[in-house]
Amino acid sequence: MNLVLYNDLSREKEKFVPLNEGRVTFYSCGPTVYDFFHIGNARPFIVFDVLRRYMEHIGYKVTFVQNFTDIDDKMIGRANAEGITVAELAERFIAEYRKDACALGIHDPSVAPRATDNMIEIIDTIKKIIEKGHAYEVKTSGENGDVYFDVRSWPSYGKLAKQSLEELESGARVDVGEIKRDPLDFALWKAEKPGEPSWDSPWGKGRPGWHIECSAMSSKYLGETIDIHSGGVDLIFPHHENEIAQSEAATGKPFVRTWLHNGFLLIDKEKMSKSLGNFMTARAALEKYPPLAIRLFMLSAHYRSPINFAPDGLEQSVGGVKRLRNCWGDLQNARQNQSARQNQKTATDKDASEFIRELHALDARFYEAMNDDFNTAGAIGAVFEVVKLINIQIRQSCLPSAFFDEAEAALRKFDAILGVIGIDDESANEKSKEVKDEESEIERLIEERAAARKSKNFERSDEIRASLLSLGIVLEDTPQGTKWKREL
Ligand SMILES: [Zn+2]
Ligand SMILES: [Zn+2]
């Protein structure tokens, strides 16, 4: 099995050879848990879930780490706005992340560490970088200080982004309150500010910068040099460039052997942004489309290409999932009918030999595509050819058991890797149970509110509207009745 992956560090396709035979260490940057994750972030979660499943399928023991960023500017801003602690905010959105990830069929990582649980390792990593002379402290007030990475002391800075220091410098910005020597320097540690959570450190009270957590947790859970690190293409600079500089400065060893980045997800051909009003959470997408269709859609393009999240593409995936599931269902029915007719003429396994030969050729195409930089689009093409082949055979009245065994094993295998057929999950093609439960509760409250309004109990009706609003549900009274939508 020759798995070839495109490495963003070398900008070439390379034969994948793990550091330790048979084992893969894999780190993927996880969500900042200040809100529901958006559909653009669902893309790396889904595609790298499938890559991990595939590597397990071909025999690797994969340790897959995906972190939760539970302390940063966005966390603090949102927690203060809602009048809750950063820890409470994190707890809430880690739970919401898990709901959506589970609905999308994303397997749990081997480890899902949180930044705030790894403060000792984070502080330790910063200490090492200072000792090696690649970071410096600047006192901000009293005992507390910021620590910055000294980019000019690190000659290979820019090796992932493939840009020189001069090019990078022209785009660098200095945030208010930063007191660094060079615009390219970035914060490893930020001194405490009023209203922010803080931890004790050799530089006084403060909190880590964003990038350092991934360096610290990657080496804690996977080792100083790891096989694969993945994330969205927007993380190449500065996040991943900074991770490399920090880790390699701290350990003196190469940080990551293969860097993988997925392309952008566009919404109606535009980059998603709150200001364009085309921002969509995964939760909202799950209300519109079944999870299997969302998965099939995400896997229908090469992970490095941009993908356009638009209704016609999604509808096509809905149809595709239906075809896959019908094929599986028809296969089960045909097998039952066959055994009911047992006493009639039975086919011999020899009659299946042509089918099996064609099936194996398509199976080889599936592996060839997956091994070629994880070309899920090509692999899914082969899966649909298999479906076509099965559908032709199934029309015959007399089928040998070898046909059923081979056809079922093939579909089961594709489903275990891609997770787009939902064979062992009756409700996989529907909305998740949590979403359905929540929706019926919303409908119930809307009915109760309508009754309250009818009996002029406006106090109760306002109360219901307010309590739904606190959950992010907005009611709209129309001539056709009350409609609801989720605040995005
Ligand atoms: Zn990363
Ligand atoms: Zn990261």
Side-chain angles (χ1 to χ4, degrees):
M1 211 71 75
N2 276 334
L3 176 60
V4 168
L5 293 173
Y6 182 89
N7 185 352
D8 275 306
L9 192 59
S10 65
R11 298 273 164 104
E12 272 173 23
K13 279 190 184 176
E14 297 169 353
K15 183 175 184 307
F16 177 72
V17 183
L19 199 56
N20 295 301
E21 206 189 324
R23 295 180 161 267
V24 175
T25 44
F26 192 157
Y27 188 101
S28 204
C29 278
T32 302
V33 283
Y34 73 109
D35 206 342
F36 292 95
F37 67 90
H38 58 71
I39 192 67
N41 279 343
R43 188 178 189 192
F45 300 150
I46 291 170
V47 296
F48 297 122
D49 171 58
V50 173
L51 177 53
R52 170 208 185 178
R53 290 186 192 200
Y54 181 67
M55 291 183 129
E56 285 169 345
H57 171 76
I58 59 178
Y60 289 114
K61 186 173 178 333
V62 182
T63 310
F64 184 77
V65 176
Q66 185 182 285
N67 64 305
F68 287 114
T69 297
D70 61 351
I71 176 76
D72 84 332
D73 293 341
K74 281 187 279 194
M75 294 290 303
I76 294 167
R78 179 77 187 255
N80 286 345
E82 302 221 348
I84 56 174
T85 66
V86 169
E88 284 164 344
L89 182 73
E91 221 47 64
R92 174 174 168 208
F93 282 110
I94 285 174
E96 300 291 7
Y97 167 86
R98 291 205 164 113
K99 262 191 220 171
D100 292 336
C102 175
L104 287 167
I106 295 161
H107 288 179
D108 284 341
S110 321
V111 193
R114 305 179 188 193
T116 58
D117 287 339
N118 289 275
M119 249 351 126
I120 292 170
E121 289 77 6
I122 289 171
I123 289 169
D124 237 38
T125 310
I126 299 173
K127 269 169 43 189
K128 279 188 200 149
I129 301 170
I130 295 176
E131 278 161 24
K132 301 270 175 77
H134 297 294
Y136 56 92
E137 185 191 356
V138 183
K139 282 270 177 262
T140 54
S141 63
E143 284 308 294
N144 301 336
D146 287 347
V147 179
Y148 294 98
F149 189 93
D150 180 1
V151 169
R152 295 280 167 185
S153 78
W154 194 251
S156 68
Y157 192 80
K159 73 177 175 182
L160 181 67
K162 303 277 181 281
Q163 292 196 61
S164 67
L165 289 182
E166 283 58 45
E167 285 169 307
L168 292 170
E169 179 137 282
S170 65
R173 45 173 252 201
V174 182
D175 286 327
V176 189
E178 285 193 321
I179 28 174
K180 49 196 191 183
R181 293 182 194 157
D182 188 285
L184 278 179
D185 294 351
F186 56 90
L188 302 177
W189 189 262
K190 298 179 175 188
E192 181 186 41
K193 289 196 196 89
E196 293 188 357
S198 64
W199 287 260
D200 288 324
S201 81
W203 319 286
K205 284 191 174 301
R207 62 178 171 100
W210 169 37
H211 315 292
I212 193 70
E213 68 178 83
C214 290
S215 286
M217 293 190 278
S218 178
S219 98
K220 174 178 177 182
Y221 293 101
L222 297 170
E224 291 179 336
T225 301
I226 70 164
D227 293 306
I228 298 177
H229 189 120
S230 67
V233 67
D234 51 326
L235 293 186
I236 291 181
F237 191 84
H239 188 51
H240 286 165
E241 194 68 55
N242 292 353
E243 284 182 16
I244 297 176
Q246 295 165 159
S247 292
E248 299 191 349
T251 68
K253 295 184 185 134
F255 175 40
V256 170
R257 289 155 61 93
T258 305
W259 284 94
L260 305 178
H261 294 99
N262 64 277
F264 279 117
L265 179 138
L266 306 171
I267 291 203
D268 284 330
K269 301 206 172 107
E270 298 215 62
K271 247 185 97 171
M272 183 165 49
S273 78
K274 281 205 163 135
S275 56
L276 279 174
N278 62 357
F279 191 86
M280 189 190 252
T281 60
R283 181 69 57 89
L286 280 163
E287 278 153 24
K288 280 186 152 169
Y289 304 103
L292 292 177
I294 296 175
R295 282 184 75 94
L296 183 62
F297 173 80
M298 294 288 187
L299 298 169
S300 64
H302 191 279
Y303 74 92
R304 278 192 289 114
S305 320
I307 193 169
N308 187 34
F309 195 89
D312 46 342
L314 266 303
E315 285 310 328
Q316 219 173 334
S317 297
V318 170
V321 168
K322 210 178 256 171
R323 235 154 75 221
L324 294 167
R325 287 177 69 81
N326 284 346
C327 178
W328 176 259
D330 291 349
L331 202 55
Q332 303 311 301
N333 290 337
R335 182 167 239 176
Q336 273 170 13
N337 293 340
Q338 187 86 340
S339 46
R341 286 197 306 259
Q342 234 172 26
N343 296 331
Q344 298 175 14
K345 171 179 170 265
T346 49
T348 66
D349 286 351
K350 201 166 148 273
D351 298 330
S353 62
E354 174 67 12
F355 166 79
I356 290 171
R357 199 182 53 73
E358 285 179 53
L359 180 70
H360 287 183
L362 290 170
D363 202 46
R365 247 176 69 187
F366 174 86
Y367 284 106
E368 209 178 293
M370 290 298 276
N371 284 337
D372 179 14
D373 190 28
F374 187 45
N375 176 4
T376 52
I380 286 170
V383 171
F384 279 106
E385 288 298 315
V386 168
V387 165
K388 218 190 263 174
L389 189 66
I390 293 173
N391 287 345
I392 292 169
Q393 291 289 311
I394 237 166
R395 290 194 213 113
Q396 297 177 18
S397 59
C398 202
L399 287 160
S401 61
F403 161 76
F404 291 107
D405 295 343
E406 291 270 346
E408 283 184 14
L411 292 182
R412 272 198 183 280
K413 181 179 73 186
F414 297 145
D415 194 32
I417 297 167
L418 303 169
V420 293
I421 312 179
I423 286 175
D424 291 319
D425 185 355
E426 278 304 311
S427 62
N429 203 29
E430 298 166 11
K431 292 173 182 170
S432 71
K433 190 183 168 300
E434 272 123 352
V435 169
K436 279 197 284 189
D437 285 352
E438 195 189 18
E439 284 179 5
S440 55
E441 176 61 11
I442 293 167
E443 298 293 343
R444 195 190 63 72
L445 284 169
I446 288 175
E447 273 171 39
E448 194 191 326
R449 177 170 166 268
R453 273 158 46 116
K454 222 172 170 182
S455 59
K456 308 239 181 294
N457 182 355
F458 296 113
E459 200 183 327
R460 177 66 188 142
S461 100
D462 288 347
E463 196 178 282
I464 292 173
R465 174 188 280 273
S467 81
L468 284 171
L469 194 61
S470 74
L471 299 169
I473 309 295
V474 185
L475 299 184
E476 194 190 336
D477 293 313
T478 74
Q480 289 81 38
T482 302
K483 292 196 173 125
W484 65 272
K485 64 173 190 197
R486 258 173 238 277
E487 235 176 8
L488 289 187

